[in-house]
Amino acid sequence: MNGLKEEVAEGKYILSFPHLTSTQDYAKKIISTCARDIVGVRADYQSSGRGRLKSQWDAVPNSSLLVSYIFDLSGFSKRHVKLISLVTAAAAITAISESTNLTPQYKWPNDILISNRKVCGVLIETPAFKQSLSQAIIGVGVNLTQLEFPPDIESIATSIAMEGGQAPTPQALAKTLYHKLLWWADILLWHGLDPITEMLREHDGYTGEHYRVTTDSGERPGTAVGITSEGELILRMEDGSILATQNATSQKSVHRYNIPADS
Amino acid sequence: MAELGVDIDEISELVRLVEDSNLDELIVEDAGVKVTIRGFGYIRRSSSARLIDEPPQEMIDINPPRHPISVTGADVAEEVLTIASPMIGVFYRAPGTDAAPFIEVGDHVEVGQTIGLMEAMKVFSEIPSDYSGTVVEIIAHNGQLVHSGDPLVLLRPDSV
């Protein structure tokens, strides 16, 4: 494997590249090689994120942290897998707040905001290698030094620099975030979800946000009013009913998965 | 199916009977032909199909539970298997907006090949096939909310 090895812990490395088409795709290749010492892939520039990531997020080379962690799921139950979203959000909040002088907010399920604008997005995939699931690929993008964004997202995106924070280097933030991921994953495994939901509620950036929830009868709009102890989003629907769901999408999500038409 | 000496309409009627009555298992044997139809209740109690909200005592096993409709006779055996959803979530047939679907009807799939994605809390999980065979029907629609045990894809396995 090419790429520069950046040590993040003893014997554990993130592979760093000036340019990749997709850190997620490269991380998937690494899993197939069983290279246990590589825990992530970082790129200064990502030319074409996979279908669910939009290119404007990483339009300016070296202005963002663009990293995909290869996350060991040993010890995780099926129930825990979806909760990696919340673990990643908690890790990103603590990594950003400790690396800058800023206080991020949390927007369900794993967006991180500052001043009500998105500074960090997450994409998590669990590849189906053979018939068992042993790793997740956690893709994280953090806007660091951008001073402007394209017109179509400038009202909903921000960066550490635009918010007046001291932007860390992508390499430094990647290392900090790696350790926060491990720490919050241990919290989940040993103490359950309560400490994580409590922390995320303290950084509430979701209440009042508009979502679309996928139900058995199709998509319906609702307004967020909280999160449950299981990490689900609580929505007040247009008819006044209250719904807890794990399948909702923000109406102003930058990284929204666009549903292809049925063929 | 005609060589088996059974009527497909009769089998369909039996399947509907199992589904409508929530029976766990129905076995009909006649003239050397045995038909076994297993409902989701049977599957949910089997070790390979724990519900997503059960306590996390087991390690991860995302093998989709089977919903077998097996027809066996003295000389011939044929089986059509359902790949069912291992969890509640939104089903996607393709990895992205502009990408081709993972599978189409008539495709041959191998063991471990991805047949779709499930999304919950923005975690996208690839759903593998746990046997090889030919896709007979794709039951779940793109973007559809599916529950644990809901059928996703029908496969005719290469061998029984």
Side-chain angles (χ1 to χ4, degrees):
Chain A
M1 286 173 287
N2 298 318
L4 183 66
K5 278 186 168 182
E6 298 171 344
E7 190 170 47
V8 291
E10 188 175 351
K12 301 292 183 185
Y13 303 91
I14 288 177
L15 273 186
S16 172
F17 297 84
H19 170 231
L20 283 177
T21 51
S22 163
T23 56
Q24 291 288 105
D25 286 346
Y26 203 93
K28 214 172 191 178
K29 288 179 190 169
I30 289 175
I31 289 178
S32 65
T33 68
C34 300
R36 297 288 181 187
D37 59 331
I38 305 299
V39 296
V41 179
R42 190 178 70 75
D44 293 335
Y45 175 66
Q46 184 175 237
S47 57
S48 118
R50 303 264 301 285
R52 291 181 289 281
L53 290 171
K54 296 198 174 176
S55 56
Q56 63 262 35
W57 188 257
D58 46 43
V60 182
N62 217 24
S63 61
S64 301
L65 168 64
L66 302 168
V67 64
S68 293
Y69 296 98
I70 300 166
F71 191 79
D72 185 6
L73 291 173
S74 301
F76 276 66
S77 71
K78 271 193 223 173
R79 173 179 170 269
H80 283 139
V81 172
K82 65 186 177 188
L83 301 180
I84 297 171
S85 254
L86 308 188
V87 166
T88 305
I93 288 171
T94 47
I96 291 171
S97 60
E98 288 181 20
S99 302
T100 69
N101 54 352
L102 302 171
T103 304
Q105 298 106 40
Y106 166 68
K107 183 177 164 188
W108 190 96
N110 53 28
D111 285 344
I112 308 302
L113 315 176
I114 296 176
S115 303
N116 213 30
R117 295 180 181 193
K118 189 166 175 174
V119 72
C120 168
V122 174
L123 172 68
I124 301 172
E125 298 177 285
T126 58
F129 289 103
K130 298 180 183 174
Q131 295 179 63
S132 62
L133 192 155
S134 55
Q135 282 120 346
I137 299 175
I138 301 176
V140 181
V142 182
N143 293 332
L144 296 174
T145 58
Q146 293 96 332
L147 295 176
E148 60 180 3
F149 287 97
D152 57 331
I153 61 167
E154 65 181 358
S155 64
I156 57 174
T158 191
S159 70
I160 300 296
M162 288 171 73
E163 297 300 325
Q166 181 66 44
T169 64
Q171 180 179 356
L173 187 56
K175 181 176 180 178
T176 303
L177 183 51
Y178 170 73
H179 288 281
K180 296 302 179 187
L181 274 173
L182 296 182
W183 195 77
W184 283 104
D186 276 350
I187 293 285
L188 176 66
L189 291 175
W190 292 99
H191 302 284
L193 189 59
D194 284 350
I196 297 174
T197 53
E198 185 179 337
M199 180 271 197
L200 296 176
R201 288 187 186 114
E202 288 172 0
H203 291 79
D204 180 2
Y206 48 82
T207 298
E209 287 291 321
H210 300 292
Y211 287 82
R212 295 195 70 81
V213 58
T214 305
T215 69
D216 289 324
S217 55
E219 284 199 349
R220 295 170 58 196
T223 303
V225 295
I227 53 175
T228 70
S229 58
E230 289 295 306
E232 298 166 315
L233 182 67
I234 306 171
L235 293 170
R236 177 175 287 111
M237 309 306 287
E238 285 185 332
D239 61 4
S241 62
I242 299 294
L243 182 72
T245 180
Q246 53 181 315
N247 294 294
T249 305
S250 168
Q251 292 196 5
K252 60 180 182 184
S253 173
V254 174
H255 283 181
R256 152 152 214 177
Y257 178 87
N258 295 307
I259 301 169
D262 260 326
S263 55
Chain B
M1 199 57 87
E3 308 83 52
L4 293 173
V6 294
D7 186 328
I8 191 67
D9 291 331
E10 286 180 13
I11 293 177
S12 299
E13 191 58 40
L14 291 172
V15 169
R16 273 194 292 275
L17 175 66
V18 170
E19 290 177 342
D20 293 343
S21 60
N22 285 324
L23 284 173
D24 289 348
E25 186 174 26
L26 176 67
I27 301 173
V28 178
E29 196 163 4
D30 185 42
V33 174
K34 182 179 178 183
V35 178
T36 303
I37 301 171
R38 287 171 180 164
F40 288 117
Y42 175 94
I43 294 166
R44 286 188 175 118
R45 279 197 291 280
S46 73
S47 60
S48 63
R50 293 186 177 87
L51 296 177
I52 191 77
D53 293 328
E54 284 182 345
Q57 71 271 20
E58 88 280 24
M59 299 297 286
I60 290 169
D61 173 8
I62 62 164
N63 295 341
R66 303 180 185 195
H67 183 180
I69 304 168
S70 61
V71 180
T72 57
D75 303 320
V76 187
E78 182 172 325
E79 191 176 28
V80 175
L81 299 168
T82 300
I83 299 175
S85 174
M87 56 186 277
I88 185 172
V90 177
F91 177 73
Y92 292 111
R93 288 191 55 198
T97 309
D98 302 321
F102 290 106
I103 55 167
E104 296 282 11
V105 172
D107 285 356
H108 185 268
V109 299
E110 300 292 338
V111 174
Q113 183 175 333
T114 300
I115 59 100
L117 291 177
M118 294 290 299
E119 185 254 328
M121 290 191 184
K122 239 161 89 175
V123 176
F124 292 83
S125 300
E126 294 182 351
I127 307 299
S129 176
D130 59 350
Y131 27 69
S132 61
T134 303
V135 179
V136 175
E137 185 179 353
I138 300 167
I139 298 171
H141 297 292
N142 199 61
Q144 179 185 338
L145 179 68
V146 295
H147 298 266
S148 180
D150 281 357
L152 302 174
V153 172
L154 284 182
L155 268 190
R156 180 175 295 112
D158 289 339
S159 58
V160 178

